[in-house]
């Protein structure tokens, strides 16, 4: 029933009885992400080519797979870790103490348009701090994983943020959504371009942040991002030696906040250009 789950759980751990055990949670989250990825991959490959996308709002896509994948993750975690709470982008939930914050398909617009750049994002948050972050790049079979204090990995190999220090050499992903007016985004891109930055936007916030942890890009920024899109990526970047602003400040968990995630050498310079203090 739980796929390869048994192999992923450290020997000697008794599920449901060690609810304070972050290592057990970490192993469970990795296994659940891979199982959910198998479902998402199958749905992506079998989707009808002529499908008209369903929209939740302006440039805000919805697919049946979002809910199906979220339901799978929710039911696995509820069964294995019944004391934890759960919040998913599609079905909601509660943000109580010890909460799993999940985006079942981040990059839904890409998924809906047949672009294989989307990810499953699973974060475990305690006391407004991400302890576990899993980002599964479904079509590339790339599992990014971080357990606070134990580093960040990609398919088991340690990853680090880039060491780039010169802003005019930097590549920065600038996330965008229809939640904010257009003018501040245009001003953000303008500021980055004037500083000599190569600005990109690939349509999955969680993957964009994971790419910072992996040194594929030098920073990710967004003027408003939701916790389910970035909570996992935040611990990935921090465990890979990078820095983020205080995303969870105020009501960040429920209402979202700005985000800047980058390396040590660029954080001061980018914070100045973008206006998100680190
Ligand atoms: C969106 C994507 C996008 C980011 C937005 C998110 P969704 O999530 O991650 O890249 O800029 O802030 O809302 O709709 O694909 O789950």
């Amino acid at each position: 029933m739980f796929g390869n789950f048994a192999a992923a759980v450290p020997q000697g751990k008794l599920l449901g009885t060690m609810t304070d055990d972050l290592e057990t949670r970490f192993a469970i989250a990795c296994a659940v992400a891979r199982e959910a990825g198998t479902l998402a991959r199958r749905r992506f490959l079998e989707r009808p080519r002529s499908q008209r996308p369903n929209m939740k709002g302006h440039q805000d896509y919805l697919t049946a797979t979002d809910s199906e994948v979220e339901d799978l993750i929710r039911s696995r975690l509820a069964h294995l870790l019944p004391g934890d709470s759960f919040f998913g982008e599609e079905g909601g939930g509660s943000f109580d103490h010890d909460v799993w914050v999940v985006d079942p398909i981040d990059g839904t617009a890409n998924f809906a348009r047949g672009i294989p750049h989307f990810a499953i994002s699973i974060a475990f948050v305690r006391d407004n701090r991400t302890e576990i972050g899993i980002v599964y790049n479904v079509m590339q079979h790339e599992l990014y994983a971080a357990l606070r204090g134990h580093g960040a990995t990609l398919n088991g190999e340690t990853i680090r943020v880039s060491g780039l220090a010169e802003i005019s050499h930097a590549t920065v992903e600038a996330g965008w959504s229809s939640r904010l007016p257009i003018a501040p985004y245009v001003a953000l891109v303008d500021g980055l371009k004037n500083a000599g930055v190569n600005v990109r936007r690939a349509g999955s916030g969680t993957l964009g942040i994971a790419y910072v942890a992996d040194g594929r890009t030098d920073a990710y920024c967004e003027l408003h991002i939701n916790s389910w899109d970035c909570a996992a990526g935040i611990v990935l970047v921090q465990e890979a030696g990078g820095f983020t602003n205080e995303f969870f400040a105020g009501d960040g968990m429920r209402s979202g906040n700005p985000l800047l995630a980058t390396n040590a050498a660029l954080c001061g310079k980018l914070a100045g250009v973008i206006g998100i203090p680190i």
Side-chain angles (χ1 to χ4, degrees), residues 174-175 183-195 197 199-200 223 273:
Y185 182 75
V186 173
L188 170 81
V189 173
D190 193 52
L192 288 169
K193 296 300 278 180
N194 280 320
V197 168
V199 183
R200 53 181 260 127
L223 295 171
V273 170

Side-chain angles (χ1 to χ4, degrees), residues 60 89 103 105-108 175-177 179 203-205 220 222 229:
D60 193 7
E89 180 184 10
D103 190 343
I105 303 285
D106 185 71
T108 304
W176 173 84
S177 78
R179 293 184 297 275
S204 166
Y220 183 90
E222 187 157 348
D229 294 320

Side-chain angles (χ1 to χ4, degrees), residues 41 95 154 177 209 213 224 232:
R41 191 178 308 115
F95 283 114
L154 166 55
S177 78
I209 303 164
H224 177 270

Side-chain angles (χ1 to χ4, degrees), residues 102-115:
V102 170
D103 190 343
I105 303 285
D106 185 71
T108 304
N110 287 341
F111 184 102
R113 307 297 299 234
I115 299 167

